[in-house]
Amino acid sequence: MANQLAILGGDPVIPPGAVKPWPPITEVDEEYVLASLRGANHAFGPNCVEFEKEFAAWNGNRYAITTNSGTAALHMCVAACDCSEGDEVIVTAYSWSSSATCILHHNCIPVFVDIDWETMNIDVDQIEAAITAKTRAIIVVHLHGLAVDMDRVMAIAAKHNLKVIEDACQAHGARFNGKKVGTLGHCAAFSFNQNKNLCSGEGGMFVTDDEEILAKARMLWSFGETRTPAESRDYHAYALGWMYRNNDLTAAFGRAQLTRLDTYLAWQRRNAQQLAESLHGVPNLLLPTEPAGHEHNWYNFVIRFDMEALGQTQDPAACRDKLVQALRAEGVEAGVWQRFILPRMTVFQAKNAYGHGAPWSSPHAQPVDYSLDQYPVAQRHSDTHACLVQTLRYPNGSDLIELIAEGIRKVMARAEELAGV
Ligand SMILES: *Cc1c(COP(=O)(O)O)cnc(C)c1O
């Protein structure tokens, strides 16, 4: 039964339990976390201060602020870039929801731009057409760990006097023309959620090189105050503030993981290269690209099924789901990353975030159109993709990668048959 597909009763290629969990926990994590626990500061403590310094140094930024999520850091970016109620912020049509809801958090209006098929990132050629008199900023998402072409985005922003926010939540260590993401725009957000390449449980980091942007982000971060809890506070709300601070225990965990981040990323890169080589030439399968000048971090290895070749253009998502099920039956840890493109999500279609139609109903806003026919590439990508995340992570290695490739080849050899079922 070795050749029979597992979904049809055959033996799976990969035995259960072969994929090792993420992240690996070592004595270093235990030491850092235990030391924090045995210390006297459990709110914003010394590990938070050190984590900010160490992450800023690792990434090459002047300033960093540790947050309780990547989404909090994104909201801080929007506020720090002087976006006011009713202003428009341009963002990709395909990402995690909070790449766009962070705009709503500040009473601003997201304007979606379709993606580029090759890179899966915002189609830079379409950004200028989306700019209006209301536009204040562009949020670029370095999706799956592949940087957006920042030379072109920064040139457009300079021409129209816009700020550029990098959503680097998936892109730790990714580079564009040799420079790390988070150093290319005006400010950036990283996530340290468990699935991300740097895990602190939950958490995030705001980074910038601009002192004014830093000061504005800091006020939103901690009750509208201008000083951190490590300084002598005056407990005065100078502006509207949230409570987005991180705690000492989480920062200790993040610091410990940061000591191994470069090792993890190099390992993940080797796995991705091996997988791409093993899958080269598999029929009806489209592999992710790494264009010249880009260094992918391979946070997510995203494949697409060639639905034209498979004759499945009527309902590509249904066909993709069958193929993903067949892969999972073989033990290949495949998933669907985002089933919904952003403008399709109810929060945007309903145009009602804060009640009474706010922020779209703001007297400072102008009407925006979220008709879904504007994002055909994002929709096609969403319907035809599948992704591999955990498989590529340290310490999973070449033996597992070979098995994953074998599982994918086995399913793709029968893809036409499966698609027709
Ligand atoms: C994970 C993620 C976020 C949000 O990060 P959290 O830490 O979960 O708030 C934002 N944008 C992208 C692209 C992400 O992948």
Side-chain angles (χ1 to χ4, degrees):
M1 297 276 278
N3 280 328
Q4 175 69 285
L5 290 176
I7 201 164
L8 302 174
D11 296 325
V13 172
I14 301 155
V19 181
K20 297 186 184 81
W22 174 261
I25 302 298
T26 72
E27 282 170 7
V28 179
D29 301 284
E30 290 173 7
E31 272 169 32
Y32 272 72
V33 170
L34 211 54
S36 165
L37 204 55
R38 287 176 177 154
N41 301 291
H42 304 296
F44 185 91
N47 278 293
C48 297
V49 176
E50 290 309 308
F51 194 24
E52 289 177 348
K53 284 187 199 150
E54 288 163 5
F55 190 81
W58 178 82
N59 205 54
N61 288 105
R62 286 178 69 195
Y63 309 110
I65 304 176
T66 173
T67 65
N68 49 28
S69 73
T71 303
L74 278 170
H75 181 189
M76 286 158 61
C77 287
V78 175
C81 285
D82 286 332
C83 299
S84 299
E85 179 179 310
D87 287 347
E88 294 176 1
V89 179
I90 291 172
V91 68
T92 174
Y94 186 79
S95 182
W96 185 249
S97 59
S98 58
S99 302
T101 52
C102 68
I103 301 165
L104 299 181
H105 289 336
H106 216 60
N107 264 318
C108 300
I109 314 285
V111 171
F112 297 103
V113 169
D114 202 4
I115 66 166
D116 166 63
W117 175 257
E118 276 306 303
T119 61
M120 312 176 201
N121 279 326
I122 191 167
D123 183 348
V124 178
D125 287 333
Q126 294 192 47
I127 290 179
E128 272 200 288
I131 295 172
T132 73
K134 294 275 179 193
T135 311
R136 288 291 165 272
I138 304 168
I139 298 182
V140 293
V141 184
H142 306 303
L143 200 67
H144 308 315
L146 180 70
V148 173
D149 182 335
M150 290 301 284
D151 280 352
R152 292 176 59 214
V153 172
M154 295 311 286
I156 293 168
K159 184 172 156 197
H160 297 272
N161 195 22
L162 305 176
K163 290 285 195 316
V164 177
I165 295 164
E166 295 178 76
D167 179 343
C169 286
Q170 303 186 349
H172 317 67
R175 290 172 192 265
F176 175 70
N177 284 345
K179 289 187 73 187
K180 274 184 176 168
V181 300
T183 64
L184 300 155
H186 294 96
C187 52
F190 288 87
S191 169
F192 306 145
N193 163 270
Q194 180 164 2
N195 293 325
K196 308 297 159 97
N197 279 130
L198 180 61
C199 162
S200 69
E202 300 280 7
M205 196 72 82
F206 168 93
V207 296
T208 188
D209 293 343
D210 183 314
E211 218 162 303
E212 242 176 81
I213 288 178
L214 175 81
K216 286 172 190 155
R218 180 161 282 154
M219 282 198 278
L220 193 86
W221 171 73
S222 181
F223 304 113
E225 296 177 30
T226 55
R227 297 170 215 178
T228 79
E231 296 160 321
S232 73
R233 293 165 72 183
D234 60 359
Y235 302 99
H236 182 99
Y238 291 89
L240 178 59
W242 268 253
M243 189 356 212
Y244 282 160
R245 288 184 339 227
N246 193 9
N247 67 81
D248 200 71
L249 209 52
T250 302
F253 186 14
R255 288 182 71 199
Q257 288 284 319
L258 181 59
T259 64
R260 298 191 301 281
L261 180 55
D262 286 328
T263 307
Y264 293 161
L265 290 174
W267 186 277
Q268 190 164 282
R269 183 167 186 81
R270 269 203 302 280
N271 280 345
Q273 276 166 345
Q274 186 187 337
L275 187 58
E277 277 162 30
S278 300
L279 293 175
H280 187 77
V282 172
N284 303 322
L285 190 70
L286 308 172
L287 297 178
T289 51
E290 188 180 42
H294 293 253
E295 194 173 316
H296 209 305
N297 79 351
W298 300 107
Y299 164 77
N300 194 347
F301 192 96
V302 179
I303 54 179
R304 268 98 50 109
F305 303 111
D306 189 343
M307 295 303 179
E308 275 82 28
L310 286 167
Q312 295 293 326
T313 49
Q314 276 300 93
D315 191 355
C319 176
R320 181 270 317 279
D321 288 347
K322 282 182 205 161
L323 293 170
V324 168
Q325 268 176 0
L327 288 169
R328 295 185 71 87
E330 299 297 342
V332 175
E333 173 257 333
V336 175
W337 187 70
Q338 274 288 16
R339 207 166 267 287
F340 298 98
I341 67 169
L342 291 178
R344 195 181 194 93
M345 291 186 180
T346 307
V347 59
F348 304 111
Q349 285 294 315
K351 290 190 183 165
N352 187 20
Y354 282 103
H356 300 305
W360 291 273
S361 56
S362 163
H364 306 290
Q366 62 185 14
V368 292
D369 176 19
Y370 295 148
S371 335
L372 295 174
D373 57 5
Q374 299 172 97
Y375 323 105
V377 184
Q379 190 61 53
R380 178 162 157 245
H381 169 79
S382 176
D383 289 344
T384 58
H385 85 281
C387 67
L388 300 159
V389 179
Q390 196 123 322
T391 309
L392 275 79
R393 298 266 195 279
Y394 183 94
N396 293 305
S398 64
D399 292 356
L400 181 68
I401 297 297
E402 265 329 294
L403 287 177
I404 295 290
E406 191 186 323
I408 294 174
R409 280 197 301 265
K410 183 180 170 191
V411 168
M412 292 314 290
R414 307 272 297 276
E416 283 170 39
E417 197 182 314
L418 272 168
V421 174

Short mmCIF file of all heavy atoms in Angstrom, two decimals, residues 115-163:
data_model
loop_
_atom_site.label_atom_id
_atom_site.label_comp_id
_atom_site.label_asym_id
_atom_site.label_seq_id
_atom_site.Cartn_x
_atom_site.Cartn_y
_atom_site.Cartn_z
N ILE A 115 -2.27 42.60 -4.71
CA ILE A 115 -0.90 42.08 -4.56
C ILE A 115 -0.27 41.75 -5.91
O ILE A 115 -0.95 41.66 -6.92
CB ILE A 115 -0.84 40.84 -3.63
CG1 ILE A 115 -1.57 39.64 -4.25
CG2 ILE A 115 -1.42 41.18 -2.26
CD1 ILE A 115 -1.27 38.31 -3.55
N ASP A 116 1.03 41.55 -5.87
CA ASP A 116 1.80 41.09 -7.02
C ASP A 116 1.89 39.57 -6.91
O ASP A 116 2.22 39.04 -5.86
CB ASP A 116 3.19 41.74 -6.93
CG ASP A 116 4.19 41.08 -7.86
OD1 ASP A 116 3.98 41.14 -9.08
OD2 ASP A 116 5.16 40.48 -7.35
N TRP A 117 1.59 38.87 -7.99
CA TRP A 117 1.51 37.40 -7.95
C TRP A 117 2.84 36.77 -7.55
O TRP A 117 2.88 35.85 -6.73
CB TRP A 117 1.05 36.88 -9.32
CG TRP A 117 1.05 35.38 -9.40
CD1 TRP A 117 1.96 34.60 -10.02
CD2 TRP A 117 0.08 34.48 -8.82
NE1 TRP A 117 1.63 33.27 -9.87
CE2 TRP A 117 0.49 33.17 -9.14
CE3 TRP A 117 -1.08 34.66 -8.05
CZ2 TRP A 117 -0.22 32.04 -8.73
CZ3 TRP A 117 -1.78 33.53 -7.65
CH2 TRP A 117 -1.35 32.24 -7.98
N GLU A 118 3.94 37.26 -8.10
CA GLU A 118 5.25 36.65 -7.85
C GLU A 118 5.67 36.74 -6.38
O GLU A 118 6.07 35.76 -5.78
CB GLU A 118 6.33 37.34 -8.70
CG GLU A 118 6.44 36.82 -10.12
CD GLU A 118 6.63 35.31 -10.18
OE1 GLU A 118 7.60 34.78 -9.59
OE2 GLU A 118 5.78 34.66 -10.83
N THR A 119 5.61 37.95 -5.83
CA THR A 119 6.14 38.17 -4.48
C THR A 119 5.08 37.98 -3.39
O THR A 119 5.43 37.85 -2.22
CB THR A 119 6.68 39.61 -4.34
OG1 THR A 119 5.60 40.51 -4.57
CG2 THR A 119 7.80 39.87 -5.33
N MET A 120 3.80 37.99 -3.76
CA MET A 120 2.66 37.89 -2.84
C MET A 120 2.53 39.15 -1.98
O MET A 120 1.71 39.21 -1.07
CB MET A 120 2.75 36.64 -1.93
CG MET A 120 3.07 35.36 -2.68
SD MET A 120 3.29 33.93 -1.59
CE MET A 120 4.23 32.83 -2.67
N ASN A 121 3.38 40.14 -2.23
CA ASN A 121 3.34 41.41 -1.49
C ASN A 121 2.55 42.46 -2.27
O ASN A 121 2.22 42.25 -3.44
CB ASN A 121 4.77 41.93 -1.29
CG ASN A 121 5.46 41.24 -0.12
OD1 ASN A 121 4.82 40.89 0.88
ND2 ASN A 121 6.77 41.03 -0.23
N ILE A 122 2.30 43.61 -1.63
CA ILE A 122 1.59 44.71 -2.27
C ILE A 122 2.19 44.97 -3.66
O ILE A 122 3.41 44.93 -3.84
CB ILE A 122 1.64 45.98 -1.39
CG1 ILE A 122 0.70 47.06 -1.89
CG2 ILE A 122 3.07 46.53 -1.26
CD1 ILE A 122 0.47 48.20 -0.89
N ASP A 123 1.32 45.21 -4.65
CA ASP A 123 1.78 45.50 -6.01
C ASP A 123 2.22 46.97 -6.04
O ASP A 123 1.38 47.87 -6.11
CB ASP A 123 0.64 45.24 -7.00
CG ASP A 123 1.08 45.44 -8.45
OD1 ASP A 123 2.19 46.01 -8.66
OD2 ASP A 123 0.32 45.06 -9.35
N VAL A 124 3.51 47.19 -5.99
CA VAL A 124 4.05 48.55 -5.87
C VAL A 124 3.61 49.42 -7.06
O VAL A 124 3.38 50.62 -6.92
CB VAL A 124 5.59 48.51 -5.72
CG1 VAL A 124 6.16 49.92 -5.64
CG2 VAL A 124 5.98 47.72 -4.47
N ASP A 125 3.42 48.79 -8.23
CA ASP A 125 2.98 49.53 -9.42
C ASP A 125 1.60 50.16 -9.24
O ASP A 125 1.24 51.07 -9.98
CB ASP A 125 2.91 48.60 -10.63
CG ASP A 125 4.30 48.24 -11.14
OD1 ASP A 125 5.23 49.05 -10.93
OD2 ASP A 125 4.45 47.15 -11.73
N GLN A 126 0.82 49.64 -8.31
CA GLN A 126 -0.56 50.15 -8.14
C GLN A 126 -0.70 51.11 -6.95
O GLN A 126 -1.79 51.59 -6.68
CB GLN A 126 -1.52 48.97 -7.94
CG GLN A 126 -1.64 48.08 -9.18
CD GLN A 126 -2.80 47.10 -9.07
OE1 GLN A 126 -3.91 47.48 -8.70
NE2 GLN A 126 -2.55 45.84 -9.36
N ILE A 127 0.39 51.39 -6.25
CA ILE A 127 0.29 52.24 -5.05
C ILE A 127 -0.10 53.67 -5.42
O ILE A 127 -1.00 54.26 -4.83
CB ILE A 127 1.61 52.21 -4.23
CG1 ILE A 127 1.79 50.85 -3.56
CG2 ILE A 127 1.60 53.32 -3.17
CD1 ILE A 127 3.08 50.71 -2.76
N GLU A 128 0.56 54.23 -6.43
CA GLU A 128 0.33 55.65 -6.73
C GLU A 128 -1.12 55.94 -7.10
O GLU A 128 -1.66 56.97 -6.73
CB GLU A 128 1.28 56.13 -7.83
CG GLU A 128 2.58 56.63 -7.21
CD GLU A 128 3.38 57.54 -8.13
OE1 GLU A 128 3.94 56.99 -9.10
OE2 GLU A 128 3.45 58.75 -7.86
N ALA A 129 -1.75 55.00 -7.80
CA ALA A 129 -3.15 55.19 -8.20
C ALA A 129 -4.08 55.23 -6.98
O ALA A 129 -5.20 55.74 -7.06
CB ALA A 129 -3.57 54.08 -9.15
N ALA A 130 -3.63 54.69 -5.85
CA ALA A 130 -4.46 54.65 -4.63
C ALA A 130 -4.27 55.88 -3.75
O ALA A 130 -5.00 56.07 -2.78
CB ALA A 130 -4.15 53.38 -3.84
N ILE A 131 -3.28 56.72 -4.08
CA ILE A 131 -3.00 57.90 -3.26
C ILE A 131 -4.02 59.00 -3.55
O ILE A 131 -4.31 59.28 -4.72
CB ILE A 131 -1.56 58.41 -3.52
CG1 ILE A 131 -0.55 57.35 -3.04
CG2 ILE A 131 -1.31 59.74 -2.80
CD1 ILE A 131 0.90 57.65 -3.43
N THR A 132 -4.58 59.59 -2.48
CA THR A 132 -5.51 60.72 -2.63
C THR A 132 -5.00 61.86 -1.74
O THR A 132 -3.99 61.71 -1.04
CB THR A 132 -6.94 60.34 -2.16
OG1 THR A 132 -6.95 60.27 -0.73
CG2 THR A 132 -7.40 59.02 -2.74
N ALA A 133 -5.74 62.96 -1.72
CA ALA A 133 -5.37 64.10 -0.87
C ALA A 133 -5.42 63.71 0.61
O ALA A 133 -4.83 64.37 1.45
CB ALA A 133 -6.30 65.27 -1.14
N LYS A 134 -6.15 62.64 0.93
CA LYS A 134 -6.31 62.20 2.32
C LYS A 134 -5.21 61.24 2.78
O LYS A 134 -5.13 60.91 3.98
CB LYS A 134 -7.66 61.47 2.49
CG LYS A 134 -8.87 62.35 2.29
CD LYS A 134 -9.21 63.06 3.59
CE LYS A 134 -10.42 63.97 3.41
NZ LYS A 134 -10.55 64.87 4.56
N THR A 135 -4.41 60.72 1.85
CA THR A 135 -3.43 59.69 2.21
C THR A 135 -2.32 60.26 3.09
O THR A 135 -1.76 61.31 2.78
CB THR A 135 -2.81 59.07 0.95
OG1 THR A 135 -3.86 58.72 0.05
CG2 THR A 135 -1.99 57.83 1.29
N ARG A 136 -2.02 59.57 4.20
CA ARG A 136 -0.94 60.00 5.09
C ARG A 136 0.22 59.01 5.14
O ARG A 136 1.35 59.39 5.39
CB ARG A 136 -1.46 60.15 6.53
CG ARG A 136 -2.35 61.32 6.76
CD ARG A 136 -1.63 62.66 6.67
NE ARG A 136 -2.61 63.72 6.56
CZ ARG A 136 -3.12 64.15 5.40
NH1 ARG A 136 -2.69 63.66 4.26
NH2 ARG A 136 -4.05 65.07 5.38
N ALA A 137 -0.09 57.72 4.96
CA ALA A 137 0.95 56.71 5.15
C ALA A 137 0.69 55.48 4.29
O ALA A 137 -0.43 55.28 3.80
CB ALA A 137 1.03 56.31 6.62
N ILE A 138 1.75 54.70 4.11
CA ILE A 138 1.66 53.41 3.44
C ILE A 138 2.16 52.37 4.44
O ILE A 138 3.24 52.54 5.03
CB ILE A 138 2.56 53.36 2.19
CG1 ILE A 138 2.21 54.49 1.22
CG2 ILE A 138 2.47 51.99 1.50
CD1 ILE A 138 3.26 54.68 0.10
N ILE A 139 1.37 51.31 4.65
CA ILE A 139 1.86 50.18 5.45
C ILE A 139 2.30 49.09 4.48
O ILE A 139 1.48 48.58 3.71
CB ILE A 139 0.78 49.62 6.40
CG1 ILE A 139 0.34 50.69 7.40
CG2 ILE A 139 1.30 48.37 7.13
CD1 ILE A 139 -0.71 50.22 8.40
N VAL A 140 3.60 48.78 4.50
CA VAL A 140 4.06 47.66 3.67
C VAL A 140 4.21 46.45 4.60
O VAL A 140 4.74 46.55 5.69
CB VAL A 140 5.40 47.95 2.97
CG1 VAL A 140 5.25 49.04 1.94
CG2 VAL A 140 6.49 48.31 3.96
N VAL A 141 3.71 45.32 4.15
CA VAL A 141 3.83 44.08 4.91
C VAL A 141 4.85 43.21 4.19
O VAL A 141 4.67 42.88 3.02
CB VAL A 141 2.48 43.33 5.01
CG1 VAL A 141 2.62 42.10 5.90
CG2 VAL A 141 1.38 44.25 5.51
N HIS A 142 5.93 42.85 4.87
CA HIS A 142 6.93 41.95 4.27
C HIS A 142 6.41 40.53 4.48
O HIS A 142 6.84 39.82 5.40
CB HIS A 142 8.29 42.15 4.94
CG HIS A 142 8.77 43.57 4.93
ND1 HIS A 142 8.92 44.28 3.77
CD2 HIS A 142 9.13 44.40 5.94
CE1 HIS A 142 9.37 45.51 4.07
NE2 HIS A 142 9.50 45.60 5.37
N LEU A 143 5.46 40.14 3.63
CA LEU A 143 4.68 38.94 3.91
C LEU A 143 5.49 37.65 3.78
O LEU A 143 6.26 37.48 2.84
CB LEU A 143 3.46 38.89 2.98
CG LEU A 143 2.34 37.98 3.48
CD1 LEU A 143 1.69 38.52 4.74
CD2 LEU A 143 1.30 37.77 2.40
N HIS A 144 5.28 36.78 4.71
CA HIS A 144 5.93 35.47 4.78
C HIS A 144 7.44 35.57 4.93
O HIS A 144 8.14 34.57 4.85
CB HIS A 144 5.58 34.60 3.56
CG HIS A 144 4.11 34.49 3.30
ND1 HIS A 144 3.21 34.26 4.30
CD2 HIS A 144 3.38 34.59 2.16
CE1 HIS A 144 1.98 34.21 3.78
NE2 HIS A 144 2.06 34.42 2.49
N GLY A 145 7.95 36.80 5.11
CA GLY A 145 9.39 36.97 5.30
C GLY A 145 10.12 37.47 4.07
O GLY A 145 11.35 37.46 4.03
N LEU A 146 9.37 37.89 3.04
CA LEU A 146 9.99 38.46 1.84
C LEU A 146 9.75 39.97 1.83
O LEU A 146 8.60 40.42 1.84
CB LEU A 146 9.41 37.84 0.56
CG LEU A 146 10.01 38.38 -0.74
CD1 LEU A 146 11.46 37.93 -0.91
CD2 LEU A 146 9.19 37.94 -1.95
N ALA A 147 10.83 40.75 1.80
CA ALA A 147 10.71 42.21 1.87
C ALA A 147 10.04 42.77 0.61
O ALA A 147 10.22 42.25 -0.49
CB ALA A 147 12.09 42.84 2.04
N VAL A 148 9.29 43.83 0.81
CA VAL A 148 8.74 44.62 -0.30
C VAL A 148 9.91 45.40 -0.92
O VAL A 148 10.90 45.68 -0.24
CB VAL A 148 7.66 45.58 0.25
CG1 VAL A 148 7.17 46.55 -0.81
CG2 VAL A 148 6.49 44.77 0.82
N ASP A 149 9.80 45.76 -2.19
CA ASP A 149 10.83 46.57 -2.86
C ASP A 149 10.80 47.98 -2.26
O ASP A 149 10.03 48.84 -2.68
CB ASP A 149 10.55 46.62 -4.37
CG ASP A 149 11.62 47.40 -5.13
OD1 ASP A 149 12.27 48.29 -4.52
OD2 ASP A 149 11.78 47.15 -6.33
N MET A 150 11.62 48.20 -1.24
CA MET A 150 11.53 49.44 -0.45
C MET A 150 12.12 50.64 -1.17
O MET A 150 11.74 51.78 -0.88
CB MET A 150 12.20 49.24 0.91
CG MET A 150 11.41 48.31 1.83
SD MET A 150 9.73 48.88 2.17
CE MET A 150 10.07 50.19 3.36
N ASP A 151 13.01 50.43 -2.13
CA ASP A 151 13.53 51.58 -2.90
C ASP A 151 12.38 52.28 -3.61
O ASP A 151 12.25 53.50 -3.59
CB ASP A 151 14.56 51.12 -3.94
CG ASP A 151 15.92 50.88 -3.33
OD1 ASP A 151 16.10 51.21 -2.13
OD2 ASP A 151 16.80 50.34 -4.03
N ARG A 152 11.55 51.47 -4.24
CA ARG A 152 10.43 52.05 -5.01
C ARG A 152 9.37 52.64 -4.10
O ARG A 152 8.83 53.70 -4.36
CB ARG A 152 9.85 50.99 -5.94
CG ARG A 152 10.85 50.63 -7.05
CD ARG A 152 10.35 49.51 -7.93
NE ARG A 152 9.10 49.85 -8.57
CZ ARG A 152 8.13 48.97 -8.83
NH1 ARG A 152 8.28 47.70 -8.51
NH2 ARG A 152 7.03 49.35 -9.43
N VAL A 153 9.07 51.95 -2.98
CA VAL A 153 8.05 52.47 -2.05
C VAL A 153 8.52 53.78 -1.44
O VAL A 153 7.75 54.75 -1.36
CB VAL A 153 7.74 51.43 -0.94
CG1 VAL A 153 6.83 52.04 0.12
CG2 VAL A 153 7.08 50.19 -1.53
N MET A 154 9.79 53.86 -1.03
CA MET A 154 10.28 55.09 -0.39
C MET A 154 10.31 56.25 -1.39
O MET A 154 10.08 57.40 -1.01
CB MET A 154 11.67 54.87 0.23
CG MET A 154 11.70 53.87 1.39
SD MET A 154 10.44 54.12 2.66
CE MET A 154 11.10 55.57 3.50
N ALA A 155 10.57 55.94 -2.66
CA ALA A 155 10.57 57.00 -3.68
C ALA A 155 9.15 57.55 -3.87
O ALA A 155 8.95 58.77 -3.95
CB ALA A 155 11.13 56.45 -5.00
N ILE A 156 8.16 56.66 -3.92
CA ILE A 156 6.76 57.10 -4.05
C ILE A 156 6.37 57.93 -2.83
O ILE A 156 5.75 58.99 -2.95
CB ILE A 156 5.82 55.86 -4.19
CG1 ILE A 156 6.08 55.14 -5.51
CG2 ILE A 156 4.35 56.29 -4.07
CD1 ILE A 156 5.42 53.76 -5.61
N ALA A 157 6.76 57.46 -1.64
CA ALA A 157 6.40 58.16 -0.40
C ALA A 157 7.03 59.55 -0.36
O ALA A 157 6.37 60.53 0.03
CB ALA A 157 6.85 57.33 0.81
N ALA A 158 8.27 59.65 -0.78
CA ALA A 158 8.96 60.95 -0.76
C ALA A 158 8.27 61.92 -1.71
O ALA A 158 8.06 63.09 -1.39
CB ALA A 158 10.43 60.76 -1.14
N LYS A 159 7.90 61.42 -2.89
CA LYS A 159 7.24 62.26 -3.89
C LYS A 159 5.92 62.82 -3.38
O LYS A 159 5.57 63.97 -3.67
CB LYS A 159 7.02 61.40 -5.15
CG LYS A 159 6.42 62.12 -6.32
CD LYS A 159 6.43 61.20 -7.56
CE LYS A 159 5.35 61.64 -8.53
NZ LYS A 159 5.06 60.57 -9.50
N HIS A 160 5.18 62.02 -2.59
CA HIS A 160 3.85 62.44 -2.12
C HIS A 160 3.86 62.84 -0.64
O HIS A 160 2.79 63.01 -0.05
CB HIS A 160 2.84 61.31 -2.35
CG HIS A 160 2.65 60.99 -3.81
ND1 HIS A 160 1.73 61.64 -4.59
CD2 HIS A 160 3.28 60.10 -4.62
CE1 HIS A 160 1.79 61.16 -5.83
NE2 HIS A 160 2.72 60.23 -5.88
N ASN A 161 5.03 62.94 -0.05
CA ASN A 161 5.16 63.35 1.35
C ASN A 161 4.39 62.43 2.31
O ASN A 161 3.62 62.88 3.14
CB ASN A 161 4.71 64.81 1.51
CG ASN A 161 5.16 65.38 2.83
OD1 ASN A 161 6.12 64.88 3.44
ND2 ASN A 161 4.46 66.39 3.31
N LEU A 162 4.59 61.13 2.15
CA LEU A 162 3.90 60.13 2.99
C LEU A 162 4.89 59.43 3.90
O LEU A 162 6.08 59.36 3.60
CB LEU A 162 3.22 59.08 2.11
CG LEU A 162 2.27 59.58 1.03
CD1 LEU A 162 1.78 58.40 0.19
CD2 LEU A 162 1.10 60.32 1.66
N LYS A 163 4.39 58.92 5.03
CA LYS A 163 5.21 58.09 5.91
C LYS A 163 5.07 56.62 5.49
O LYS A 163 4.04 56.22 4.93
CB LYS A 163 4.73 58.24 7.36
CG LYS A 163 5.04 59.61 7.96
CD LYS A 163 6.51 59.70 8.30
CE LYS A 163 6.91 60.84 9.20
NZ LYS A 163 6.35 62.16 8.93
#
